[in-house]
Amino acid sequence: MKNAIYFLIAVCIPTVQAQTDTTSRLPKEKPLPDSVINVGRWPELTIKQAYLNQKILVKTKGTSELLQKNEHIILFINNIPIDSCEARPNVKNRQDLIFNLNEKTTTETLWNLFYTRGESKRTVTISAGVRGENPLPVVQPNNFTIVFYDTYWLRGALGVIILLLIGFILLGKYTRLIKHPNKSSDPPYSLARFQLAFWTFLIVSSYIYIWIIKDDYNSLNSTALILLGISAGTALSGTIISNNQERQDSTHALQHKKSAGLIEDLLADESGISIHRFQNLLFTLILGFIFWVQVYKDLEMPVFSDTILTLMGISASTYAALKVNENKDKVSPAPTSQQQQQNQS
């Protein structure tokens, strides 16, 4: 009996050792690498788009060790690092990363990098990673949509601008907002005042338009201020010149001049259409059109070169200098009785 037991032990032990050796020689299964497995709008992964005032939820595998090491994990969009957007781990699951897009620096970065002219949204690939390193691989493509603005905001902004335009037109027609303050019941339109009102409306409407759509209340730039300053200076100098002419001569023609229509009032003096008025109005309208188109397309106020701004300043200065010699014709005073008798004789 003992011999039989010894025989079984002698046979089984080498077999078990052989199996153990075979198992130890099998390749060990490698752990899954850190990766992004899903993306959605916080708090649900099923919503695949987010506005710039919302949060993104990035579901990962293997990032818990990085978080425990206090590594700075940031957002990556189309493999571009968004350094200002750091992850905030989810309390319930540290491998779920939350990124807040509503930070000012992050919002400005997204506008600058991913906004396309005329497009209210952009489809991108979302990932995450340690700052200064490559982003985590994405297990499957996540076509996530970043929404910059809703089209109804665009329509609302354009509606506000149309109302402002109607208000400016009515004020210009039925008040002396852009007319010369003379003694006539229907005074002529003033080019300098028209230019000031034109740039005021353009800059105010652009500011409101950008603010409504982009939620940016710091959109004013040096170009807008310089253009407004040039037009204000032109209006001020024009008013001073006209007042001096009337003060020196109470029978000055401009005191009793009536409007001949918007276009003729803006372009003509007593001698007819003048080149300095035409030049000033032409440059104003062209630059105003370019200004508004750029605001509509880029959602930011354009930056004109020093050359263009100097051109506007020269045109305004030329208008003011030549205005001194405008409207020199006087209204002939009514003849006295003595003059009438002499004429009859």
Side-chain angles (χ1 to χ4, degrees):
M1 183 66 179
K2 291 182 179 179
N3 293 332
I5 294 173
Y6 291 150
F7 176 76
L8 290 174
I9 292 173
V11 171
C12 292
I13 288 177
T15 304
V16 172
Q17 289 178 347
Q19 291 178 350
T20 304
D21 293 340
T22 303
T23 305
S24 62
R25 287 196 298 268
L26 290 175
K28 295 182 179 180
E29 184 178 353
K30 295 181 180 180
L32 290 175
D34 297 348
S35 58
V36 174
I37 59 176
N38 205 352
V39 176
R41 187 177 75 196
W42 185 83
E44 298 181 12
L45 289 168
T46 56
I47 303 176
K48 300 299 182 182
Q49 71 173 25
Y51 292 83
L52 294 182
N53 60 349
Q54 295 177 326
K55 300 174 183 178
I56 295 178
L57 175 61
V58 178
K59 192 172 185 63
T60 66
K61 294 191 70 173
T63 58
S64 58
E65 293 183 2
L66 295 177
L67 292 169
Q68 290 173 0
K69 295 177 182 178
N70 295 321
E71 297 284 358
H72 296 291
I73 297 182
I74 62 172
L75 180 68
F76 281 76
I77 301 179
N78 290 348
N79 293 326
I80 299 175
I82 311 300
D83 291 325
S84 59
C85 193
E86 270 194 25
R88 180 171 61 86
N90 194 345
V91 177
K92 296 181 180 179
N93 187 348
R94 290 182 61 81
Q95 292 186 343
D96 289 351
L97 306 177
I98 301 172
F99 295 96
N100 187 7
L101 303 181
N102 199 26
E103 299 293 336
K104 181 180 179 181
T105 307
T106 301
T107 302
E108 291 177 353
T109 302
L110 296 181
W111 274 104
N112 294 331
L113 293 178
F114 301 106
Y115 174 70
T116 304
R117 287 181 175 181
E119 300 292 335
S120 62
K121 57 185 68 175
R122 175 84 177 269
T123 300
V124 297
T125 298
I126 300 293
S127 184
V130 178
R131 179 181 280 111
E133 299 182 8
N134 293 327
L136 299 177
V138 179
V139 174
Q140 57 183 3
N142 52 70
N143 295 324
F144 192 82
T145 301
I146 296 178
V147 182
F148 291 95
Y149 60 87
D150 266 323
T151 52
Y152 68 82
W153 282 110
L154 175 63
R155 291 192 291 267
L158 292 176
V160 170
I161 293 172
I162 291 173
L163 292 176
L164 283 175
L165 178 60
I166 293 174
F168 265 88
I169 292 175
L170 293 177
L171 287 173
K173 183 175 179 59
Y174 296 107
T175 69
R176 295 179 180 244
L177 179 70
I178 57 174
K179 295 182 178 181
H180 191 277
N182 65 11
K183 298 178 180 179
S184 172
S185 59
D186 184 21
Y189 291 95
S190 166
L191 176 58
R193 289 178 174 232
F194 171 83
Q195 187 185 45
L196 177 58
F198 177 82
W199 283 114
T200 299
F201 166 76
L202 207 60
I203 293 172
V204 169
S205 61
S206 298
Y207 181 83
I208 294 175
Y209 179 78
I210 296 172
W211 171 65
I212 290 178
I213 295 179
K214 201 174 177 181
D215 195 25
D216 180 10
Y217 48 84
N218 291 315
S219 59
L220 285 175
N221 57 18
S222 59
T223 295
L225 297 179
I226 291 173
L227 290 171
L228 195 60
I230 291 174
S231 59
T234 305
L236 178 61
S237 61
T239 300
I240 294 174
I241 292 170
S242 297
N243 290 340
N244 288 337
Q245 290 174 341
E246 293 173 8
R247 191 179 300 110
Q248 293 172 5
D249 191 346
S250 61
T251 63
H252 196 276
L254 193 56
Q255 282 207 32
H256 307 280
K257 186 178 179 181
K258 292 187 177 182
S259 174
L262 177 63
I263 301 300
E264 186 171 347
D265 289 346
L266 296 181
L267 295 178
D269 55 16
E270 291 299 316
S271 302
I273 294 179
S274 57
I275 183 61
H276 62 282
R277 283 176 167 267
F278 176 78
Q279 180 199 67
N280 189 273
L281 181 61
L282 184 64
F283 286 160
T284 298
L285 295 179
I286 291 176
L287 289 183
F289 176 77
I290 295 173
F291 189 96
W292 171 244
V293 169
Q294 291 300 115
V295 169
Y296 179 78
K297 291 167 61 178
D298 297 338
L299 288 177
E300 62 182 14
M301 295 192 186
V303 177
F304 290 156
S305 67
D306 293 340
T307 303
I308 294 178
L309 296 175
T310 303
L311 178 66
M312 281 296 296
I314 292 173
S315 178
S317 301
T318 304
Y319 164 75
L322 295 179
K323 183 177 173 61
V324 176
N325 295 322
E326 285 185 356
N327 305 310
K328 288 292 186 178
D329 297 338
K330 299 180 180 180
V331 177
S332 300
T336 61
S337 57
Q338 183 177 1
Q339 289 175 335
Q340 289 178 353
Q341 291 177 0
Q342 291 177 354
N343 292 334
Q344 290 176 358
S345 60

